Amino acid sequence: MILLCLPMISFAQPAGGFGGFQVPQANLETSAVWKDVNYAGDDQAFHTCDIYLPKQVKDAYPVVIHIYGSAWFSNSSKGMADLGTIVKALLDAGYAVVCPNHRSSADAKWPAQIHDIRAVIRFVRGDASKYKFDPSFIATSGFSSGGHLASTAATTSGTKEATVGSVTIDLEGSVGNHTDQSSAVNAACDWSGPIDLTAMNCGDHITMGEKSPEDVLLDSKLDKEPDKYRSLSASTYIDPTDPPVIIFHGEKDNVVPCCQGKKFYELLQANGIKSEATFVPEGGHGMGMYSAENLQKMVNFLNEVRNVKP
């Protein structure tokens, strides 16, 4: 397999996974930054996050939790979480941004990863005054497998447990010191995320080998335990009570095929959920996706959900 060597760009996980290209260096204008804050109250590096506050000083800021892509293979890529693109656009628009690590598929199997993201959401509420968070608006955002986690946090928002066929799944977990807080979110931004893990062959895609990232995450095979794959899919949990979602996907994405984003949008619309979608004709898996226009669409959508006038 050929790895492309580009200046300032690195893979957040082995090539062929759901991580795409990440830009680790960025010139962010901030009023405060906290690095390696442990959101779970333990001593694990995979339970740390970086917190960025906008340059304009305010008493409190709406929050977006942005999750890196890694095919769930990485537990330490928060420093490569689209800082120069998505994070910068959110900061410039007045949003506090929290970039968390989470357990990888080598550390723990599903649903540990959504437990970690829900712990981050509860941490934002529980430590709101310390970090100047406004807990009245918390959104999730993510690229690739991070988009999967951001979307699943939205479609399962307010749901602590679900039964999917033969599988009963704990969606909440008990990670962290703020289990009394809500893990609900107000909106989500899905950038190139896998949404239906039972249908990853819906379009042109890279052959992942004997075991796909979702196989590793679930320690299974689709033909053996399909309900596990349904329990991993954000699309499984969609209902009319879900918060608004905005989707971005490249039509030339050969890692997570664009039909994933298109099906997600169709299901959201069918359930009457406020949603928008942008499908970029020449967009790949991250490449060609972060135009100023798309970043502004994201900001406008979040502002509209918050009922903030331009």
Side-chain angles (χ1 to χ4, degrees):
M1 181 175 291
I2 298 174
L3 295 182
L4 300 179
C5 296
L6 300 176
M8 299 290 289
I9 295 178
S10 64
F11 282 100
Q13 84 297 316
F18 297 163
F21 295 99
Q22 303 288 327
V23 181
Q25 301 297 325
N27 181 22
L28 302 178
E29 295 187 334
T30 59
S31 60
V33 176
W34 292 268
K35 293 291 186 74
D36 299 322
V37 176
N38 192 289
Y39 61 81
D42 58 24
D43 60 355
Q44 299 295 327
F46 54 56
H47 280 156
T48 58
C49 64
D50 295 341
I51 300 168
Y52 305 88
L53 299 187
K55 182 178 180 180
Q56 184 179 0
V57 176
K58 292 186 176 181
D59 292 336
Y61 304 90
V63 182
V64 178
I65 297 164
H66 184 69
I67 310 160
Y68 57 81
S70 74
W72 311 287
F73 287 146
S74 175
N75 64 10
S76 58
S77 292
K78 62 182 173 58
M80 296 183 179
D82 313 293
L83 298 185
T85 53
I86 295 169
V87 173
K88 184 179 188 306
L90 291 167
L91 283 170
D92 291 350
Y95 289 88
V97 183
V98 178
C99 295
N101 284 335
H102 60 75
R103 282 172 286 178
S104 70
S105 54
D107 298 312
K109 301 308 176 185
W110 179 258
Q113 293 69 30
I114 196 64
H115 291 174
D116 288 351
I117 299 308
R118 289 210 163 180
V120 178
I121 298 164
R122 296 193 300 265
F123 161 80
V124 168
R125 288 195 167 93
D127 278 0
S129 59
K130 180 176 182 179
Y131 296 105
K132 301 176 73 173
F133 297 143
D134 176 0
S136 71
F137 186 85
I138 302 172
T140 47
S141 171
F143 168 67
S144 199
S145 62
H148 161 266
L149 292 172
S151 298
T152 305
T155 62
T156 65
S157 186
T159 304
K160 295 181 180 295
E161 184 179 275
T163 298
V164 182
S166 62
V167 174
T168 297
I169 180 171
D170 171 13
L171 294 163
E172 187 69 33
S174 57
V175 176
N177 298 324
H178 298 293
T179 53
D180 59 323
Q181 297 291 329
S182 168
S183 62
V185 296
N186 301 99
C189 307
D190 167 34
W191 294 84
S192 311
I195 300 301
D196 181 353
L197 279 302
T198 71
M200 288 302 294
N201 61 351
C202 64
D204 292 338
H205 61 288
I206 291 174
T207 300
M208 297 292 182
E210 183 181 349
K211 287 189 174 182
S212 68
E214 60 268 30
D215 292 346
V216 176
L217 184 62
L218 294 170
D219 192 24
S220 190
K221 285 287 189 180
L222 178 58
D223 59 0
K224 179 182 177 183
E225 295 181 288
D227 289 341
K228 275 192 174 183
Y229 290 75
R230 290 176 58 219
S231 80
L232 178 61
S233 301
S235 55
T236 296
Y237 306 101
I238 294 173
D239 69 56
T241 67
D242 292 342
V245 179
I246 187 168
I247 299 164
F248 298 90
H249 216 121
E251 292 189 355
K252 292 190 176 179
D253 189 329
N254 67 347
V255 178
V256 179
C258 190
C259 41
Q260 288 280 310
K262 290 182 176 180
K263 183 63 174 178
F264 191 24
Y265 181 60
E266 290 172 5
L267 290 170
L268 293 170
Q269 287 284 293
N271 279 269
I273 298 161
K274 178 180 174 59
S275 48
E276 292 182 12
T278 296
F279 303 112
V280 181
E282 298 300 316
H285 195 58
M287 303 301 286
M289 293 300 297
Y290 301 131
S291 65
E293 180 183 3
N294 284 350
L295 295 171
Q296 191 60 52
K297 282 183 181 180
M298 172 187 66
V299 168
N300 291 347
F301 183 82
L302 295 175
N303 286 347
E304 186 178 346
V305 174
R306 293 173 54 222
N307 196 25
V308 173
K309 304 300 181 184

